[in-house]
Amino acid sequence: MLLVLPYLARVIGKQGDLRDAHALAQETLALARDVGDRQGLTRGLEVCASLAAAHGRHELALRFAGAAAGIRTSIGAPLSAPEVAELEHSLAKSRYALGGAEADAAWSIGHGWTVELALREALATDLAIPPGVAPAPNRPGGLTARELEVVTLVADGLTNRQISETLVISEPTVVRHMSNVLGKLGLASRSQVAVWAVQHDVVVRVHS
C-alpha cells in the first residue's frame, strides 16, 4: 500500500487534480507513521514536495524535499538516479522562482527537520490551488474522493475498523478522514453524516 499510494498521488497530480493528490500524499504519510516505515515517509514527503511546487508553494516544496533527503540519509536509502532526475524536474520551477541562495536555504531548513517536525508540517499543510491551475472536480461538500468513499461506507453502517479493511488504510487514517468530513460539512456525528449522504445522493465506487 505504501508503494501504491504515492504512485497514485503522482498520477492524479499530473492529471491536474492537485487536492486529491495531496490527500493521497498525506494518507501515505499517516500510514507510514502508523506502521513505522521511514522510507514510506520519504516517499510521502517527496510527493508533497512535487505537489507544493505545482501549487506555487516553492519554499515549502524545497523544505519537504530537504526533509525527505535528510531521512533518506539517516536510513541509508538514497534515491536512484532516475528518481533523483524526476524529483529535480518537479522542483525546477521552485528553484528558479526562489533563486539559488534562497532555494538552497529552504532545502537546508527542511534537511534539518526532525522526522516528527516534517510529519507535522506535511500533515498540517493545506495547499491552496493557485490561479491558472485547474480546480479539482466539483464534489459534494468539497470532500475529496477518499473522503466521499469514507462517507459512503459510513452511510452503509460500517465501523472504522470495517472501513479500514475495505479501503486498506489504517484506522487512525479513517479517524482523520472522518474528522475532516465532520469539519467540512459542519456535522457532529456519524449518523448525521449518513443522513447527509442520503440527502445528497452520495454514491461512489469504493476501491482498494
Side-chain angles (χ1 to χ4, degrees):
M1 195 64 178
L2 281 173
L3 290 174
V4 174
L5 284 176
Y7 172 77
L8 287 176
R10 289 189 182 94
V11 170
I12 292 173
K14 288 178 181 178
Q15 293 174 344
D17 192 347
L18 300 183
R19 283 199 181 277
D20 272 1
H22 185 233
L24 285 171
Q26 289 187 316
E27 193 169 317
T28 299
L29 290 169
L31 181 57
R33 175 198 59 198
D34 294 343
V35 301
D37 185 342
R38 294 209 168 188
Q39 192 161 351
L41 292 177
T42 66
R43 295 190 188 100
L45 286 168
E46 285 152 3
V47 175
C48 284
S50 297
L51 294 173
H55 277 283
R57 302 285 294 277
H58 302 304
E59 184 174 357
L60 195 59
L62 290 164
R63 288 187 180 190
F64 286 152
I71 296 172
R72 284 191 176 279
T73 297
S74 70
I75 62 176
L79 288 169
S80 66
E83 288 171 331
V84 170
E86 181 181 3
L87 179 60
E88 284 302 315
H89 177 74
S90 68
L91 296 175
K93 182 168 64 174
S94 293
R95 292 192 183 281
Y96 177 80
L98 295 177
E102 192 173 347
D104 289 345
W107 191 93
S108 295
I109 288 172
H111 194 269
W113 280 350
T114 62
V115 172
E116 292 73 19
L117 178 56
L119 266 170
R120 185 163 65 248
E121 291 291 330
L123 291 173
T125 298
D126 182 13
L127 298 176
I129 297 179
V133 176
N138 186 25
R139 298 191 178 98
L143 303 181
T144 66
R146 181 64 96 184
E147 288 165 355
L148 284 173
E149 289 179 338
V150 171
V151 166
T152 297
L153 296 175
V154 168
D156 286 342
L158 273 65
T159 64
N160 283 352
R161 179 180 292 276
Q162 291 169 326
I163 294 172
S164 168
E165 293 170 350
T166 300
L167 298 181
V168 197
I169 57 179
S170 68
E171 282 193 65
T173 299
V174 175
V175 172
R176 180 169 59 83
H177 284 313
M178 275 303 302
S179 177
N180 291 341
V181 167
L182 292 171
K184 288 181 179 180
L185 301 183
L187 302 177
S189 68
R190 297 171 72 91
S191 59
Q192 289 179 340
V193 170
V195 171
W196 180 90
V198 172
Q199 291 174 337
H200 291 80
D201 194 25
V202 175
V203 178
V204 298
R205 178 178 178 272
V206 176
H207 60 275
S208 59

